[in-house]
Amino acid sequence: MTALEHYANRLHARAVRVCEAASSLEALRKVGILREGAVAGVFVNGEVPEICKPAFSLGGEPPLFFLEDAVHGEHLRVPDVRSLAAAAHEAHASLVLDISSPTSFGCDPLDAGASVCVERLRAGVYAVCVARSGKRGRVLDSYAEQAFRSLVPEGDNSAACRDALERAYSSSYQQSLQKRFDFARAFAEYAAANPLIDSCWYPGLASHPDHAAAANLLRHGFGPLVSIGLSGESSSLRVFQLLGGTEVEHLHLLGGTTVTLLKGGSGSYLLFNMGEGNVFELIDRVDNALRKV
């Protein structure tokens, strides 16, 4: 079985196309699913405003709703894909989900009801998958059928695409992701229990508002992202600086963990994207920074 077939089986996909593109929307256009000139309608913060009004339509074909990221925002919200897909079908539309953050290893959106999903395998390389409409207990999805008929015959056959696909299915990469997911869980448990941290957002915590939806969509854990908020206007910036960062760049820590200082609805917060470094060393470093603020 080829890497492409393995990838398709992992996501229960009817078809997969891999291409070089600058964004997920460009990838959807390049593989033939989006027509030229179509304007993307992106869900805002994962919410579906007036779902009966299609975000855009493809020349009279079934309309499409595009969810920009499966795990997103200051609070790392996770969509209830089954409910969104059902609502989209009621509006005679279908759901397309970007899974670049949780990855195809970490979630299965097509089995949950999405018609199409797209994943950034590496910088500049995307995989687009179309669901098996009418199979595995799914209702017939007219958009999935149309998407399948619209696909270009083949994806890109560049070395970059082949390498990215091989990497996505390699056991070493999957082991790396599992370690990152496990470390994120450990760090989130620490952050949630720390009185110096005002708020911690991680879908794996029972306190997270989307915990049930995350448990239905995500697998092998709850992804590599943890978001924390601190009291006071300058606290997040000060901790970020104590960890070694500046206000205008991502901070790269030992083991591949990145920390980003971002602005949210309730002030600044720190987004941790866990790497494979020792999570206890990271906790110790963050704890020391917090005690100096």
Side-chain angles (χ1 to χ4, degrees), residues 84-108:
L84 289 183
H89 280 294
E90 288 181 10
H92 305 291
S94 287
L95 181 66
V96 177
L97 187 62
D98 188 326
I99 60 169
S100 298
S101 173
T103 75
S104 55
F105 174 77
C107 72
D108 192 354

Side-chain angles (χ1 to χ4, degrees), residues 55-272:
F56 62 91
S57 62
L58 307 180
E61 298 165 5
L64 175 150
F65 293 98
F66 176 65
L67 187 59
E68 190 175 28
D69 197 340
V71 181
H72 53 273
E74 176 184 4
H75 298 157
L76 299 181
R77 301 303 302 267
V78 180
D80 183 342
V81 175
R82 295 187 189 281
S83 296
L84 289 183
H89 280 294
E90 288 181 10
H92 305 291
S94 287
L95 181 66
V96 177
L97 187 62
D98 188 326
I99 60 169
S100 298
S101 173
T103 75
S104 55
F105 174 77
C107 72
D108 192 354
L110 300 184
D111 211 36
S115 302
V116 177
C117 68
V118 56
E119 178 186 7
R120 185 174 71 104
L121 300 180
R122 59 179 292 181
V125 177
Y126 288 80
V128 178
C129 301
V130 176
R132 297 171 177 172
S133 175
K135 298 181 180 180
R136 291 178 55 85
R138 294 174 57 94
V139 297
L140 185 65
D141 184 336
S142 60
Y143 185 78
E145 292 292 326
Q146 178 62 39
F148 178 74
R149 292 193 294 269
S150 299
L151 284 173
V152 295
E154 296 180 351
D156 293 346
N157 194 34
S158 66
C161 289
R162 293 195 302 271
D163 291 346
L165 195 59
E166 291 285 350
R167 174 177 175 267
Y169 193 74
S170 69
S171 59
S172 60
Y173 179 64
Q174 294 179 50
Q175 290 168 6
S176 170
L177 285 174
Q178 186 65 72
K179 185 180 292 186
R180 293 175 60 202
F181 291 3
D182 293 344
F183 284 175
R185 179 60 180 256
F187 183 76
E189 294 285 358
Y190 150 78
N194 192 324
L196 299 176
I197 294 176
D198 187 55
S199 58
C200 173
W201 300 91
Y202 171 71
L205 295 175
S207 59
H208 193 280
D210 300 327
H211 179 67
N216 287 329
L217 175 65
L218 305 180
R219 57 187 181 182
H220 302 122
F222 292 86
L225 304 177
V226 181
S227 173
I228 66 170
L230 305 173
S231 299
E233 282 294 318
S234 61
S235 297
S236 295
L237 173 58
R238 181 61 180 148
V239 169
F240 188 63
Q241 291 171 334
L242 288 169
L243 290 174
T246 69
E247 197 171 0
V248 295
E249 63 182 20
H250 299 291
L251 171 60
H252 296 270
L253 300 179
L254 187 65
T257 294
T258 62
V259 188
T260 309
L261 177 67
L262 297 167
K263 298 288 186 181
S266 55
S268 299
Y269 66 98
L270 296 173
L271 180 64
F272 289 78

